[in-house]
PDB file of all heavy atoms in Angstrom:
ATOM      1  N   PHE A1113      32.661  -8.484  23.759  1.00 98.00           N
ATOM      2  CA  PHE A1113      32.419  -7.242  24.472  1.00 98.00           C
ATOM      3  C   PHE A1113      31.724  -7.565  25.786  1.00 98.00           C
ATOM      4  O   PHE A1113      31.147  -8.640  25.945  1.00 98.00           O
ATOM      5  CB  PHE A1113      31.557  -6.289  23.637  1.00 98.00           C
ATOM      6  CG  PHE A1113      32.178  -5.889  22.328  1.00 98.00           C
ATOM      7  CD1 PHE A1113      32.119  -6.728  21.224  1.00 98.00           C
ATOM      8  CD2 PHE A1113      32.829  -4.675  22.201  1.00 98.00           C
ATOM      9  CE1 PHE A1113      32.691  -6.371  20.023  1.00 98.00           C
ATOM     10  CE2 PHE A1113      33.407  -4.303  20.992  1.00 98.00           C
ATOM     11  CZ  PHE A1113      33.338  -5.160  19.908  1.00 98.00           C
ATOM     12  N   ARG A1114      31.785  -6.644  26.709  1.00 98.00           N
ATOM     13  CA  ARG A1114      31.103  -6.848  27.981  1.00 98.00           C
ATOM     14  C   ARG A1114      30.518  -5.536  28.478  1.00 98.00           C
ATOM     15  O   ARG A1114      31.008  -4.456  28.148  1.00 98.00           O
ATOM     16  CB  ARG A1114      32.049  -7.441  29.032  1.00 98.00           C
ATOM     17  CG  ARG A1114      33.192  -6.531  29.454  1.00 98.00           C
ATOM     18  CD  ARG A1114      34.168  -7.291  30.347  1.00 98.00           C
ATOM     19  NE  ARG A1114      35.262  -6.451  30.819  1.00 98.00           N
ATOM     20  CZ  ARG A1114      36.310  -6.894  31.490  1.00 98.00           C
ATOM     21  NH1 ARG A1114      36.414  -8.198  31.780  1.00 98.00           N
ATOM     22  NH2 ARG A1114      37.260  -6.053  31.886  1.00 98.00           N
ATOM     23  N   GLN A1115      29.473  -5.666  29.265  1.00 98.00           N
ATOM     24  CA  GLN A1115      28.830  -4.497  29.837  1.00 98.00           C
ATOM     25  C   GLN A1115      28.397  -4.811  31.262  1.00 98.00           C
ATOM     26  O   GLN A1115      27.649  -5.759  31.494  1.00 98.00           O
ATOM     27  CB  GLN A1115      27.629  -4.053  29.011  1.00 98.00           C
ATOM     28  CG  GLN A1115      27.028  -2.736  29.470  1.00 98.00           C
ATOM     29  CD  GLN A1115      26.074  -2.143  28.455  1.00 98.00           C
ATOM     30  OE1 GLN A1115      25.498  -2.860  27.639  1.00 98.00           O
ATOM     31  NE2 GLN A1115      25.912  -0.833  28.492  1.00 98.00           N
ATOM     32  N   ALA A1116      28.886  -4.018  32.188  1.00 97.00           N
ATOM     33  CA  ALA A1116      28.518  -4.134  33.586  1.00 97.00           C
ATOM     34  C   ALA A1116      27.424  -3.126  33.900  1.00 97.00           C
ATOM     35  O   ALA A1116      27.291  -2.105  33.214  1.00 97.00           O
ATOM     36  CB  ALA A1116      29.733  -3.900  34.480  1.00 97.00           C
ATOM     37  N   PRO A1117      26.624  -3.382  34.941  1.00 93.00           N
ATOM     38  CA  PRO A1117      25.561  -2.444  35.296  1.00 93.00           C
ATOM     39  C   PRO A1117      26.094  -1.038  35.516  1.00 93.00           C
ATOM     40  O   PRO A1117      27.084  -0.836  36.223  1.00 93.00           O
ATOM     41  CB  PRO A1117      24.990  -3.031  36.589  1.00 93.00           C
ATOM     42  CG  PRO A1117      25.289  -4.487  36.496  1.00 93.00           C
ATOM     43  CD  PRO A1117      26.627  -4.569  35.809  1.00 93.00           C
ATOM     44  N   GLY A1118      25.442  -0.066  34.893  1.00 94.00           N
ATOM     45  CA  GLY A1118      25.823   1.320  35.057  1.00 94.00           C
ATOM     46  C   GLY A1118      27.032   1.756  34.263  1.00 94.00           C
ATOM     47  O   GLY A1118      27.454   2.911  34.384  1.00 94.00           O
ATOM     48  N   LYS A1119      27.598   0.870  33.463  1.00 96.00           N
ATOM     49  CA  LYS A1119      28.775   1.196  32.677  1.00 96.00           C
ATOM     50  C   LYS A1119      28.517   0.974  31.196  1.00 96.00           C
ATOM     51  O   LYS A1119      27.622   0.219  30.813  1.00 96.00           O
ATOM     52  CB  LYS A1119      29.967   0.354  33.121  1.00 96.00           C
ATOM     53  CG  LYS A1119      30.416   0.600  34.551  1.00 96.00           C
ATOM     54  CD  LYS A1119      31.662  -0.192  34.878  1.00 96.00           C
ATOM     55  CE  LYS A1119      32.145   0.094  36.282  1.00 96.00           C
ATOM     56  NZ  LYS A1119      33.375  -0.674  36.601  1.00 96.00           N
ATOM     57  N   GLU A1120      29.304   1.638  30.381  1.00 95.00           N
ATOM     58  CA  GLU A1120      29.202   1.459  28.946  1.00 95.00           C
ATOM     59  C   GLU A1120      29.828   0.139  28.527  1.00 95.00           C
ATOM     60  O   GLU A1120      30.683  -0.415  29.214  1.00 95.00           O
ATOM     61  CB  GLU A1120      29.874   2.615  28.210  1.00 95.00           C
ATOM     62  CG  GLU A1120      29.187   3.958  28.397  1.00 95.00           C
ATOM     63  CD  GLU A1120      29.791   5.039  27.537  1.00 95.00           C
ATOM     64  OE1 GLU A1120      30.851   4.803  26.934  1.00 95.00           O
ATOM     65  OE2 GLU A1120      29.191   6.122  27.454  1.00 95.00           O
ATOM     66  N   ARG A1121      29.390  -0.342  27.389  1.00 96.00           N
ATOM     67  CA  ARG A1121      29.947  -1.555  26.842  1.00 96.00           C
ATOM     68  C   ARG A1121      31.409  -1.333  26.460  1.00 96.00           C
ATOM     69  O   ARG A1121      31.772  -0.281  25.919  1.00 96.00           O
ATOM     70  CB  ARG A1121      29.137  -1.986  25.616  1.00 96.00           C
ATOM     71  CG  ARG A1121      29.506  -3.345  25.066  1.00 96.00           C
ATOM     72  CD  ARG A1121      28.510  -3.760  23.996  1.00 96.00           C
ATOM     73  NE  ARG A1121      28.529  -2.859  22.863  1.00 96.00           N
ATOM     74  CZ  ARG A1121      27.497  -2.668  22.045  1.00 96.00           C
ATOM     75  NH1 ARG A1121      26.357  -3.312  22.252  1.00 96.00           N
ATOM     76  NH2 ARG A1121      27.611  -1.829  21.026  1.00 96.00           N
ATOM     77  N   GLU A1122      32.255  -2.318  26.744  1.00 96.00           N
ATOM     78  CA  GLU A1122      33.658  -2.211  26.421  1.00 96.00           C
ATOM     79  C   GLU A1122      34.124  -3.447  25.667  1.00 96.00           C
ATOM     80  O   GLU A1122      33.618  -4.549  25.865  1.00 96.00           O
ATOM     81  CB  GLU A1122      34.503  -2.025  27.686  1.00 96.00           C
ATOM     82  CG  GLU A1122      34.456  -3.198  28.653  1.00 96.00           C
ATOM     83  CD  GLU A1122      35.394  -3.032  29.832  1.00 96.00           C
ATOM     84  OE1 GLU A1122      36.348  -2.239  29.741  1.00 96.00           O
ATOM     85  OE2 GLU A1122      35.173  -3.703  30.861  1.00 96.00           O
ATOM     86  N   GLY A1123      35.099  -3.252  24.806  1.00 97.00           N
ATOM     87  CA  GLY A1123      35.675  -4.355  24.070  1.00 97.00           C
ATOM     88  C   GLY A1123      36.590  -5.181  24.948  1.00 97.00           C
ATOM     89  O   GLY A1123      37.353  -4.647  25.756  1.00 97.00           O
ATOM     90  N   VAL A1124      36.531  -6.487  24.781  1.00 98.00           N
ATOM     91  CA  VAL A1124      37.359  -7.418  25.530  1.00 98.00           C
ATOM     92  C   VAL A1124      38.431  -8.031  24.638  1.00 98.00           C
ATOM     93  O   VAL A1124      39.609  -8.054  24.981  1.00 98.00           O
ATOM     94  CB  VAL A1124      36.502  -8.521  26.176  1.00 98.00           C
ATOM     95  CG1 VAL A1124      37.380  -9.548  26.884  1.00 98.00           C
ATOM     96  CG2 VAL A1124      35.499  -7.918  27.142  1.00 98.00           C
ATOM     97  N   SER A1125      38.017  -8.537  23.481  1.00 98.00           N
ATOM     98  CA  SER A1125      38.945  -9.192  22.578  1.00 98.00           C
ATOM     99  C   SER A1125      38.342  -9.260  21.190  1.00 98.00           C
ATOM    100  O   SER A1125      37.129  -9.138  21.022  1.00 98.00           O
ATOM    101  CB  SER A1125      39.267 -10.606  23.085  1.00 98.00           C
ATOM    102  OG  SER A1125      40.264 -11.226  22.289  1.00 98.00           O
ATOM    103  N   CYS A1126      39.197  -9.468  20.204  1.00 98.00           N
ATOM    104  CA  CYS A1126      38.759  -9.603  18.823  1.00 98.00           C
ATOM    105  C   CYS A1126      39.670 -10.594  18.120  1.00 98.00           C
ATOM    106  O   CYS A1126      40.889 -10.571  18.326  1.00 98.00           O
ATOM    107  CB  CYS A1126      38.788  -8.255  18.107  1.00 98.00           C
ATOM    108  SG  CYS A1126      38.226  -8.296  16.392  1.00 98.00           S
ATOM    109  N   ILE A1127      39.078 -11.446  17.307  1.00 98.00           N
ATOM    110  CA  ILE A1127      39.853 -12.350  16.470  1.00 98.00           C
ATOM    111  C   ILE A1127      39.364 -12.213  15.043  1.00 98.00           C
ATOM    112  O   ILE A1127      38.166 -12.348  14.767  1.00 98.00           O
ATOM    113  CB  ILE A1127      39.772 -13.807  16.977  1.00 98.00           C
ATOM    114  CG1 ILE A1127      40.667 -14.717  16.130  1.00 98.00           C
ATOM    115  CG2 ILE A1127      38.335 -14.316  17.012  1.00 98.00           C
ATOM    116  CD1 ILE A1127      40.906 -16.086  16.767  1.00 98.00           C
ATOM    117  N   GLY A1128      40.275 -11.912  14.143  1.00 97.00           N
ATOM    118  CA  GLY A1128      39.925 -11.700  12.753  1.00 97.00           C
ATOM    119  C   GLY A1128      40.066 -12.958  11.926  1.00 97.00           C
ATOM    120  O   GLY A1128      40.390 -14.036  12.420  1.00 97.00           O
ATOM    121  N   ALA A1129      39.798 -12.802  10.632  1.00 95.00           N
ATOM    122  CA  ALA A1129      39.900 -13.925   9.715  1.00 95.00           C
ATOM    123  C   ALA A1129      41.347 -14.259   9.367  1.00 95.00           C
ATOM    124  O   ALA A1129      41.654 -15.408   9.043  1.00 95.00           O
ATOM    125  CB  ALA A1129      39.117 -13.632   8.434  1.00 95.00           C
ATOM    126  N   SER A1130      42.228 -13.269   9.406  1.00 94.00           N
ATOM    127  CA  SER A1130      43.633 -13.470   9.072  1.00 94.00           C
ATOM    128  C   SER A1130      44.405 -13.993  10.266  1.00 94.00           C
ATOM    129  O   SER A1130      44.155 -13.610  11.408  1.00 94.00           O
ATOM    130  CB  SER A1130      44.258 -12.170   8.582  1.00 94.00           C
ATOM    131  OG  SER A1130      43.609 -11.688   7.424  1.00 94.00           O
ATOM    132  N   LYS A1131      45.353 -14.854   9.982  1.00 91.00           N
ATOM    133  CA  LYS A1131      46.179 -15.417  11.035  1.00 91.00           C
ATOM    134  C   LYS A1131      46.936 -14.313  11.763  1.00 91.00           C
ATOM    135  O   LYS A1131      47.528 -13.437  11.139  1.00 91.00           O
ATOM    136  CB  LYS A1131      47.161 -16.420  10.441  1.00 91.00           C
ATOM    137  CG  LYS A1131      47.788 -17.351  11.458  1.00 91.00           C
ATOM    138  CD  LYS A1131      48.643 -18.388  10.766  1.00 91.00           C
ATOM    139  CE  LYS A1131      49.167 -19.429  11.734  1.00 91.00           C
ATOM    140  NZ  LYS A1131      48.059 -20.248  12.299  1.00 91.00           N
ATOM    141  N   GLY A1132      46.889 -14.346  13.073  1.00 93.00           N
ATOM    142  CA  GLY A1132      47.567 -13.361  13.883  1.00 93.00           C
ATOM    143  C   GLY A1132      46.782 -12.099  14.149  1.00 93.00           C
ATOM    144  O   GLY A1132      47.263 -11.229  14.885  1.00 93.00           O
ATOM    145  N   ASP A1133      45.609 -11.983  13.574  1.00 96.00           N
ATOM    146  CA  ASP A1133      44.769 -10.799  13.779  1.00 96.00           C
ATOM    147  C   ASP A1133      43.968 -11.002  15.062  1.00 96.00           C
ATOM    148  O   ASP A1133      42.798 -11.375  15.029  1.00 96.00           O
ATOM    149  CB  ASP A1133      43.863 -10.585  12.576  1.00 96.00           C
ATOM    150  CG  ASP A1133      43.110  -9.265  12.634  1.00 96.00           C
ATOM    151  OD1 ASP A1133      43.482  -8.391  13.442  1.00 96.00           O
ATOM    152  OD2 ASP A1133      42.149  -9.102  11.851  1.00 96.00           O
ATOM    153  N   ILE A1134      44.610 -10.735  16.181  1.00 97.00           N
ATOM    154  CA  ILE A1134      44.018 -10.930  17.500  1.00 97.00           C
ATOM    155  C   ILE A1134      44.350  -9.728  18.361  1.00 97.00           C
ATOM    156  O   ILE A1134      45.491  -9.247  18.357  1.00 97.00           O
ATOM    157  CB  ILE A1134      44.531 -12.226  18.165  1.00 97.00           C
ATOM    158  CG1 ILE A1134      44.067 -13.453  17.387  1.00 97.00           C
ATOM    159  CG2 ILE A1134      44.072 -12.301  19.617  1.00 97.00           C
ATOM    160  CD1 ILE A1134      44.609 -14.761  17.908  1.00 97.00           C
ATOM    161  N   ASN A1135      43.380  -9.265  19.098  1.00 97.00           N
ATOM    162  CA  ASN A1135      43.573  -8.128  19.984  1.00 97.00           C
ATOM    163  C   ASN A1135      42.879  -8.384  21.313  1.00 97.00           C
ATOM    164  O   ASN A1135      41.863  -9.074  21.381  1.00 97.00           O
ATOM    165  CB  ASN A1135      43.024  -6.846  19.361  1.00 97.00           C
ATOM    166  CG  ASN A1135      43.876  -6.336  18.219  1.00 97.00           C
ATOM    167  OD1 ASN A1135      44.880  -5.665  18.449  1.00 97.00           O
ATOM    168  ND2 ASN A1135      43.481  -6.650  16.993  1.00 97.00           N
ATOM    169  N   TYR A1136      43.433  -7.780  22.367  1.00 98.00           N
ATOM    170  CA  TYR A1136      42.865  -7.862  23.702  1.00 98.00           C
ATOM    171  C   TYR A1136      42.865  -6.490  24.346  1.00 98.00           C
ATOM    172  O   TYR A1136      43.751  -5.666  24.106  1.00 98.00           O
ATOM    173  CB  TYR A1136      43.666  -8.798  24.602  1.00 98.00           C
ATOM    174  CG  TYR A1136      43.721 -10.232  24.148  1.00 98.00           C
ATOM    175  CD1 TYR A1136      44.803 -10.712  23.420  1.00 98.00           C
ATOM    176  CD2 TYR A1136      42.698 -11.114  24.467  1.00 98.00           C
ATOM    177  CE1 TYR A1136      44.863 -12.031  23.009  1.00 98.00           C
ATOM    178  CE2 TYR A1136      42.746 -12.435  24.058  1.00 98.00           C
ATOM    179  CZ  TYR A1136      43.832 -12.890  23.331  1.00 98.00           C
ATOM    180  OH  TYR A1136      43.881 -14.201  22.930  1.00 98.00           O
ATOM    181  N   ALA A1137      41.872  -6.265  25.182  1.00 98.00           N
ATOM    182  CA  ALA A1137      41.913  -5.094  26.033  1.00 98.00           C
ATOM    183  C   ALA A1137      43.048  -5.244  27.034  1.00 98.00           C
ATOM    184  O   ALA A1137      43.378  -6.356  27.465  1.00 98.00           O
ATOM    185  CB  ALA A1137      40.580  -4.925  26.763  1.00 98.00           C
ATOM    186  N   ASP A1138      43.641  -4.126  27.420  1.00 97.00           N
ATOM    187  CA  ASP A1138      44.749  -4.180  28.364  1.00 97.00           C
ATOM    188  C   ASP A1138      44.359  -4.870  29.671  1.00 97.00           C
ATOM    189  O   ASP A1138      45.180  -5.555  30.290  1.00 97.00           O
ATOM    190  CB  ASP A1138      45.251  -2.768  28.667  1.00 97.00           C
ATOM    191  CG  ASP A1138      45.980  -2.141  27.497  1.00 97.00           C
ATOM    192  OD1 ASP A1138      46.416  -2.881  26.592  1.00 97.00           O
ATOM    193  OD2 ASP A1138      46.123  -0.907  27.495  1.00 97.00           O
ATOM    194  N   SER A1139      43.124  -4.713  30.068  1.00 97.00           N
ATOM    195  CA  SER A1139      42.676  -5.249  31.342  1.00 97.00           C
ATOM    196  C   SER A1139      42.607  -6.772  31.380  1.00 97.00           C
ATOM    197  O   SER A1139      42.534  -7.357  32.464  1.00 97.00           O
ATOM    198  CB  SER A1139      41.300  -4.675  31.697  1.00 97.00           C
ATOM    199  OG  SER A1139      40.342  -4.988  30.704  1.00 97.00           O
ATOM    200  N   VAL A1140      42.625  -7.420  30.215  1.00 98.00           N
ATOM    201  CA  VAL A1140      42.509  -8.875  30.179  1.00 98.00           C
ATOM    202  C   VAL A1140      43.723  -9.557  29.576  1.00 98.00           C
ATOM    203  O   VAL A1140      43.782 -10.798  29.550  1.00 98.00           O
ATOM    204  CB  VAL A1140      41.239  -9.329  29.428  1.00 98.00           C
ATOM    205  CG1 VAL A1140      40.006  -8.656  30.008  1.00 98.00           C
ATOM    206  CG2 VAL A1140      41.355  -9.054  27.936  1.00 98.00           C
ATOM    207  N   LYS A1141      44.696  -8.803  29.098  1.00 98.00           N
ATOM    208  CA  LYS A1141      45.889  -9.397  28.509  1.00 98.00           C
ATOM    209  C   LYS A1141      46.596 -10.299  29.516  1.00 98.00           C
ATOM    210  O   LYS A1141      46.795  -9.935  30.664  1.00 98.00           O
ATOM    211  CB  LYS A1141      46.845  -8.309  28.025  1.00 98.00           C
ATOM    212  CG  LYS A1141      46.399  -7.606  26.766  1.00 98.00           C
ATOM    213  CD  LYS A1141      47.403  -6.545  26.335  1.00 98.00           C
ATOM    214  CE  LYS A1141      46.953  -5.843  25.070  1.00 98.00           C
ATOM    215  NZ  LYS A1141      47.884  -4.760  24.669  1.00 98.00           N
ATOM    216  N   GLY A1142      46.970 -11.478  29.047  1.00 98.00           N
ATOM    217  CA  GLY A1142      47.626 -12.446  29.903  1.00 98.00           C
ATOM    218  C   GLY A1142      46.683 -13.329  30.679  1.00 98.00           C
ATOM    219  O   GLY A1142      47.120 -14.325  31.269  1.00 98.00           O
ATOM    220  N   ARG A1143      45.404 -12.984  30.701  1.00 98.00           N
ATOM    221  CA  ARG A1143      44.407 -13.773  31.425  1.00 98.00           C
ATOM    222  C   ARG A1143      43.384 -14.419  30.498  1.00 98.00           C
ATOM    223  O   ARG A1143      42.939 -15.534  30.760  1.00 98.00           O
ATOM    224  CB  ARG A1143      43.673 -12.904  32.446  1.00 98.00           C
ATOM    225  CG  ARG A1143      44.576 -12.314  33.514  1.00 98.00           C
ATOM    226  CD  ARG A1143      43.759 -11.658  34.624  1.00 98.00           C
ATOM    227  NE  ARG A1143      42.957 -10.538  34.121  1.00 98.00           N
ATOM    228  CZ  ARG A1143      41.629 -10.466  34.214  1.00 98.00           C
ATOM    229  NH1 ARG A1143      40.947 -11.449  34.796  1.00 98.00           N
ATOM    230  NH2 ARG A1143      40.983  -9.404  33.748  1.00 98.00           N
ATOM    231  N   PHE A1144      43.008 -13.719  29.445  1.00 98.00           N
ATOM    232  CA  PHE A1144      41.991 -14.214  28.514  1.00 98.00           C
ATOM    233  C   PHE A1144      42.651 -14.640  27.212  1.00 98.00           C
ATOM    234  O   PHE A1144      43.639 -14.043  26.767  1.00 98.00           O
ATOM    235  CB  PHE A1144      40.957 -13.133  28.205  1.00 98.00           C
ATOM    236  CG  PHE A1144      40.051 -12.761  29.347  1.00 98.00           C
ATOM    237  CD1 PHE A1144      40.265 -13.223  30.633  1.00 98.00           C
ATOM    238  CD2 PHE A1144      38.965 -11.936  29.112  1.00 98.00           C
ATOM    239  CE1 PHE A1144      39.432 -12.875  31.677  1.00 98.00           C
ATOM    240  CE2 PHE A1144      38.116 -11.580  30.149  1.00 98.00           C
ATOM    241  CZ  PHE A1144      38.342 -12.042  31.427  1.00 98.00           C
ATOM    242  N   THR A1145      42.074 -15.655  26.574  1.00 98.00           N
ATOM    243  CA  THR A1145      42.547 -16.128  25.290  1.00 98.00           C
ATOM    244  C   THR A1145      41.360 -16.350  24.366  1.00 98.00           C
ATOM    245  O   THR A1145      40.425 -17.073  24.720  1.00 98.00           O
ATOM    246  CB  THR A1145      43.341 -17.438  25.421  1.00 98.00           C
ATOM    247  OG1 THR A1145      44.450 -17.251  26.300  1.00 98.00           O
ATOM    248  CG2 THR A1145      43.865 -17.873  24.052  1.00 98.00           C
ATOM    249  N   ILE A1146      41.406 -15.735  23.198  1.00 98.00           N
ATOM    250  CA  ILE A1146      40.351 -15.908  22.212  1.00 98.00           C
ATOM    251  C   ILE A1146      40.812 -16.914  21.161  1.00 98.00           C
ATOM    252  O   ILE A1146      41.993 -16.962  20.803  1.00 98.00           O
ATOM    253  CB  ILE A1146      39.966 -14.558  21.566  1.00 98.00           C
ATOM    254  CG1 ILE A1146      38.683 -14.683  20.744  1.00 98.00           C
ATOM    255  CG2 ILE A1146      41.105 -14.013  20.717  1.00 98.00           C
ATOM    256  CD1 ILE A1146      38.123 -13.334  20.295  1.00 98.00           C
ATOM    257  N   SER A1147      39.890 -17.725  20.678  1.00 98.00           N
ATOM    258  CA  SER A1147      40.202 -18.700  19.644  1.00 98.00           C
ATOM    259  C   SER A1147      38.956 -18.955  18.809  1.00 98.00           C
ATOM    260  O   SER A1147      37.850 -18.575  19.203  1.00 98.00           O
ATOM    261  CB  SER A1147      40.728 -20.006  20.251  1.00 98.00           C
ATOM    262  OG  SER A1147      39.768 -20.598  21.106  1.00 98.00           O
ATOM    263  N   ARG A1148      39.157 -19.584  17.671  1.00 97.00           N
ATOM    264  CA  ARG A1148      38.016 -19.867  16.800  1.00 97.00           C
ATOM    265  C   ARG A1148      38.169 -21.211  16.121  1.00 97.00           C
ATOM    266  O   ARG A1148      39.281 -21.693  15.881  1.00 97.00           O
ATOM    267  CB  ARG A1148      37.839 -18.756  15.749  1.00 97.00           C
ATOM    268  CG  ARG A1148      38.983 -18.645  14.745  1.00 97.00           C
ATOM    269  CD  ARG A1148      38.867 -17.346  13.937  1.00 97.00           C
ATOM    270  NE  ARG A1148      37.663 -17.311  13.117  1.00 97.00           N
ATOM    271  CZ  ARG A1148      37.132 -16.194  12.619  1.00 97.00           C
ATOM    272  NH1 ARG A1148      37.695 -15.013  12.883  1.00 97.00           N
ATOM    273  NH2 ARG A1148      36.042 -16.262  11.867  1.00 97.00           N
ATOM    274  N   ASP A1149      37.046 -21.814  15.812  1.00 96.00           N
ATOM    275  CA  ASP A1149      36.979 -23.051  15.060  1.00 96.00           C
ATOM    276  C   ASP A1149      35.959 -22.821  13.963  1.00 96.00           C
ATOM    277  O   ASP A1149      34.751 -22.919  14.191  1.00 96.00           O
ATOM    278  CB  ASP A1149      36.580 -24.219  15.960  1.00 96.00           C
ATOM    279  CG  ASP A1149      36.643 -25.558  15.253  1.00 96.00           C
ATOM    280  OD1 ASP A1149      36.460 -25.606  14.021  1.00 96.00           O
ATOM    281  OD2 ASP A1149      36.868 -26.574  15.930  1.00 96.00           O
ATOM    282  N   ASN A1150      36.442 -22.498  12.780  1.00 95.00           N
ATOM    283  CA  ASN A1150      35.536 -22.148  11.686  1.00 95.00           C
ATOM    284  C   ASN A1150      34.687 -23.330  11.246  1.00 95.00           C
ATOM    285  O   ASN A1150      33.547 -23.147  10.817  1.00 95.00           O
ATOM    286  CB  ASN A1150      36.334 -21.605  10.500  1.00 95.00           C
ATOM    287  CG  ASN A1150      36.931 -20.246  10.762  1.00 95.00           C
ATOM    288  OD1 ASN A1150      36.457 -19.498  11.617  1.00 95.00           O
ATOM    289  ND2 ASN A1150      37.990 -19.913  10.036  1.00 95.00           N
ATOM    290  N   THR A1151      35.244 -24.535  11.330  1.00 94.00           N
ATOM    291  CA  THR A1151      34.481 -25.710  10.945  1.00 94.00           C
ATOM    292  C   THR A1151      33.261 -25.893  11.835  1.00 94.00           C
ATOM    293  O   THR A1151      32.174 -26.218  11.365  1.00 94.00           O
ATOM    294  CB  THR A1151      35.360 -26.965  10.992  1.00 94.00           C
ATOM    295  OG1 THR A1151      36.469 -26.810  10.099  1.00 94.00           O
ATOM    296  CG2 THR A1151      34.570 -28.188  10.580  1.00 94.00           C
ATOM    297  N   LYS A1152      33.449 -25.687  13.132  1.00 96.00           N
ATOM    298  CA  LYS A1152      32.349 -25.789  14.082  1.00 96.00           C
ATOM    299  C   LYS A1152      31.540 -24.509  14.181  1.00 96.00           C
ATOM    300  O   LYS A1152      30.513 -24.490  14.863  1.00 96.00           O
ATOM    301  CB  LYS A1152      32.879 -26.165  15.463  1.00 96.00           C
ATOM    302  CG  LYS A1152      33.521 -27.533  15.530  1.00 96.00           C
ATOM    303  CD  LYS A1152      33.995 -27.839  16.940  1.00 96.00           C
ATOM    304  CE  LYS A1152      34.596 -29.216  17.042  1.00 96.00           C
ATOM    305  NZ  LYS A1152      35.072 -29.507  18.412  1.00 96.00           N
ATOM    306  N   LYS A1153      31.999 -23.464  13.523  1.00 96.00           N
ATOM    307  CA  LYS A1153      31.357 -22.152  13.580  1.00 96.00           C
ATOM    308  C   LYS A1153      31.243 -21.678  15.022  1.00 96.00           C
ATOM    309  O   LYS A1153      30.191 -21.229  15.482  1.00 96.00           O
ATOM    310  CB  LYS A1153      29.995 -22.185  12.877  1.00 96.00           C
ATOM    311  CG  LYS A1153      30.072 -22.652  11.438  1.00 96.00           C
ATOM    312  CD  LYS A1153      28.734 -22.679  10.745  1.00 96.00           C
ATOM    313  CE  LYS A1153      28.263 -21.293  10.395  1.00 96.00           C
ATOM    314  NZ  LYS A1153      27.048 -21.321   9.534  1.00 96.00           N
ATOM    315  N   MET A1154      32.369 -21.783  15.723  1.00 97.00           N
ATOM    316  CA  MET A1154      32.426 -21.430  17.131  1.00 97.00           C
ATOM    317  C   MET A1154      33.612 -20.516  17.396  1.00 97.00           C
ATOM    318  O   MET A1154      34.668 -20.653  16.780  1.00 97.00           O
ATOM    319  CB  MET A1154      32.560 -22.681  18.002  1.00 97.00           C
ATOM    320  CG  MET A1154      31.391 -23.642  17.923  1.00 97.00           C
ATOM    321  SD  MET A1154      29.942 -23.029  18.818  1.00 97.00           S
ATOM    322  CE  MET A1154      30.502 -23.229  20.510  1.00 97.00           C
ATOM    323  N   VAL A1155      33.435 -19.604  18.307  1.00 98.00           N
ATOM    324  CA  VAL A1155      34.498 -18.770  18.831  1.00 98.00           C
ATOM    325  C   VAL A1155      34.471 -18.889  20.344  1.00 98.00           C
ATOM    326  O   VAL A1155      33.393 -18.912  20.945  1.00 98.00           O
ATOM    327  CB  VAL A1155      34.344 -17.303  18.395  1.00 98.00           C
ATOM    328  CG1 VAL A1155      35.445 -16.443  19.002  1.00 98.00           C
ATOM    329  CG2 VAL A1155      34.380 -17.200  16.878  1.00 98.00           C
ATOM    330  N   TYR A1156      35.647 -18.945  20.941  1.00 98.00           N
ATOM    331  CA  TYR A1156      35.750 -19.175  22.369  1.00 98.00           C
ATOM    332  C   TYR A1156      36.517 -18.040  23.032  1.00 98.00           C
ATOM    333  O   TYR A1156      37.379 -17.400  22.427  1.00 98.00           O
ATOM    334  CB  TYR A1156      36.468 -20.488  22.667  1.00 98.00           C
ATOM    335  CG  TYR A1156      35.877 -21.675  21.957  1.00 98.00           C
ATOM    336  CD1 TYR A1156      36.464 -22.180  20.808  1.00 98.00           C
ATOM    337  CD2 TYR A1156      34.723 -22.286  22.435  1.00 98.00           C
ATOM    338  CE1 TYR A1156      35.921 -23.270  20.145  1.00 98.00           C
ATOM    339  CE2 TYR A1156      34.171 -23.373  21.777  1.00 98.00           C
ATOM    340  CZ  TYR A1156      34.780 -23.863  20.636  1.00 98.00           C
ATOM    341  OH  TYR A1156      34.238 -24.942  19.988  1.00 98.00           O
TER     342      TYR A1156
END
């Protein structure tokens, strides 16, 4: 999620536990990519 000064917080992307459960805000589609590494306990 992201929040700019004077604006409400908005969702950017989400990655779920199930394969293919990925979503993006329209404003970032094609530019942002979400990924996860459960072994490292990291999301990018």
Side-chain angles (χ1 to χ4, degrees):
F1113 299 81
R1114 66 188 182 187
Q1115 187 166 25
K1119 296 184 178 180
E1120 294 186 350
R1121 188 171 63 206
E1122 64 175 339
V1124 176
S1125 185
C1126 181
I1127 184 166
S1130 300
K1131 197 175 186 66
D1133 188 15
I1134 295 176
N1135 288 278
Y1136 298 97
D1138 289 341
S1139 59
V1140 306
K1141 286 181 180 177
R1143 299 189 298 121
F1144 291 9
T1145 302
I1146 191 170
S1147 61
R1148 65 192 296 161
D1149 186 331
N1150 290 337
T1151 301
K1152 296 181 178 179
K1153 304 180 75 171
M1154 297 285 288
V1155 178
Y1156 307 101

